[in-house]
C-alpha cells in the first residue's frame, strides 16, 4: 500500500457519460498529480495541484477537469466520454510543490473502460 | 522542459547487471533525475534519485556525469521479477509549478 488511495479501481461506462475519479494523497503530501496511461502507452501528465491550487497543466482535454479540496483529496472529472478515453488514470502525490526533489508516490490507478 | 530519451526495450538474463541510460540534454540547474519502475497495471514505483555524481541504494545505483546531460540506472544481478518498464524523469518548472513528464520508458525483459 503506497498510501495514495484511488477510487474506484474499475469503472465501465458508455460514450457520452461523465465520471468522477477520486484520489486521497499520502498523509502529509500537499501536491497531487493526475496521469493518463492508455494501453501499452506511456504516462501522460494531465494536471497538478498544490495545496488546493492548480500549479501546472499538461495534456488535459477541455472535457476533463480537476480540483483539489481543502482536505487535500482530489477529483478528476471526465465528461462527454469517448472510446479513446479508456485508460488507466493514476494519481500521485508528493510533499513538495517545487521541481526540486520531486519524488512521486503513485496510487494503484483507476481503470476506465468506455463502451 | 527537460525531455528524456531512453532505449525502448532491453533484454537481459538473470544474474546479470543491467544499465539503462537516459539522455536529458536540456536539464535545468535545479532539476533532479528520478527513476521509476512500473509493472503492468500498477502505478510507477520510485527507485532512485540523484542530482550529480553517483547515488546508491539497496536496489540500484545511479550514475550522473558532470555535465548532467545523461544518467545511467544500474541494476545489479537482475532477477525475473525485475521485468518491468523503467522511466527516467527529470523535474521541470512550468509557471512555478511542476510538469513532470514521463518519457516512453525502457521495457526490460529478464530471461531465465
Amino acid at each position: 500500500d503506497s498510501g495514495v488511495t484511488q477510487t474506484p479501481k474499475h469503472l465501465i461506462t458508455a460514450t457520452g457519460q461523465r465520471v468522477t475519479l477520486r484520489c486521497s494523497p499520502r498523509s502529509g503530501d500537499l501536491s497531487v498529480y493526475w496521469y493518463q496511461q492508455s494501453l501499452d502507452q506511456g504516462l501522460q501528465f494531465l494536471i497538478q495541484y498544490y495545496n488546493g491550487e492548480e500549479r501546472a497543466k499538461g495534456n488535459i482535454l477541455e472535457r476533463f477537469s480537476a480540483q483539489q479540496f481543502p482536505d487535500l483529496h482530489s477529483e478528476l472529472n471526465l465528461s462527454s466520454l469517448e472510446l479513446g478515453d479508456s485508460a488507466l488514470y493514476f494519481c500521485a502525490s508528493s510533499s513538495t510543490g517545487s521541481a526540486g526533489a520531486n519524488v512521486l508516490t503513485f496510487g494503484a490507478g483507476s481503470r476506465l473502460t468506455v463502451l | 522542459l527537460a525531455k528524456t530519451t531512453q532505449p525502448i526495450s532491453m533484454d537481459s538474463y538473470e544474474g546479470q547487471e543491467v544499465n539503462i541510460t537516459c539522455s536529458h540534454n536540456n536539464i535545468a540547474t535545479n532539476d533532479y533525475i528520478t527513476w521509476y519502475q512500473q509493472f503492468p497495471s500498477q502505478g510507477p514505483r520510485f527507485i532512485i534519485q540523484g542530482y550529480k555524481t553517483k547515488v546508491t541504494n539497496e536496489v540500484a545505483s545511479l550514475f550522473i556525469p558532470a555535465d548532467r546531460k545523461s544518467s545511467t540506472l544500474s541494476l545489479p544481478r537482475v532477477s525475473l521479477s525485475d521485468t518491468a518498464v523503467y522511466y527516467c524523469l527529470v523535474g521541470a518548472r512550468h509557471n512555478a509549478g511542476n510538469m513532470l513528464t514521463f518519457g516512453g520508458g525502457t521495457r526490460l525483459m529478464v530471461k531465465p
Side-chain angles (χ1 to χ4, degrees):
Chain A
D1 183 3
S2 68
V4 178
T5 304
Q6 291 188 247
T7 57
K9 286 185 169 48
H10 301 276
L11 189 56
I12 301 174
T13 188
T15 54
Q17 295 299 305
R18 172 190 171 96
V19 298
T20 297
L21 309 180
R22 181 187 169 104
C23 170
S24 293
R26 200 176 53 162
S27 178
D29 285 356
L30 300 180
S31 265
V32 169
Y33 307 77
W34 286 98
Y35 288 87
Q36 178 194 55
Q37 187 171 42
S38 301
L39 188 63
D40 290 334
Q41 298 295 311
L43 291 148
Q44 298 295 318
F45 171 76
L46 296 178
I47 198 164
Q48 180 216 354
Y49 283 85
Y50 176 75
N51 203 20
E53 295 184 359
E54 182 184 306
R55 271 294 182 92
K57 186 177 283 190
N59 300 319
I60 187 166
L61 300 172
E62 286 190 7
R63 301 183 286 108
F64 297 179
S65 65
Q67 61 184 123
Q68 186 179 27
F69 294 87
D71 67 353
L72 301 178
H73 91 271
S74 178
E75 293 182 355
L76 178 66
N77 301 297
L78 315 175
S79 62
S80 303
L81 286 169
E82 302 175 359
L83 296 178
D85 297 327
S86 295
L88 264 171
Y89 290 84
F90 288 106
C91 169
S93 71
S94 72
S95 61
T96 175
S98 71
N102 43 289
V103 177
L104 304 178
T105 302
F106 282 81
S110 292
R111 181 177 294 279
L112 172 66
T113 302
V114 182
L115 301 176
Chain B
L1 302 175
K3 292 186 178 178
T4 60
T5 303
Q6 303 174 232
I8 293 174
S9 64
M10 295 180 68
D11 289 344
S12 182
Y13 291 93
E14 281 191 294
Q16 289 189 333
E17 178 183 76
V18 170
N19 295 309
I20 306 174
T21 297
C22 177
S23 296
H24 28 80
N25 291 320
N26 297 322
I27 189 169
T29 302
N30 294 331
D31 286 342
Y32 281 71
I33 301 155
T34 313
W35 285 80
Y36 293 83
Q37 175 193 56
Q38 186 182 28
F39 298 112
S41 297
Q42 294 186 24
R45 182 175 70 98
F46 169 82
I47 301 175
I48 197 167
Q49 181 181 83
Y51 183 80
K52 61 180 179 180
T53 64
K54 176 184 175 182
V55 179
T56 298
N57 63 20
E58 62 276 9
V59 298
S61 294
L62 179 59
F63 299 91
I64 305 169
D67 66 5
R68 304 202 325 125
K69 293 184 183 299
S70 67
S71 59
T72 299
L73 173 72
S74 181
L75 304 172
R77 299 180 297 283
V78 294
S79 64
L80 296 177
S81 63
D82 292 317
T83 293
V85 178
Y86 292 82
Y87 292 96
C88 161
L89 181 63
V90 177
R93 282 195 175 274
H94 179 74
N95 294 335
N98 284 323
M99 189 148 64
L100 300 178
T101 303
F102 285 78
T106 298
R107 191 175 298 272
L108 173 66
M109 173 69 72
V110 179
K111 302 174 183 178

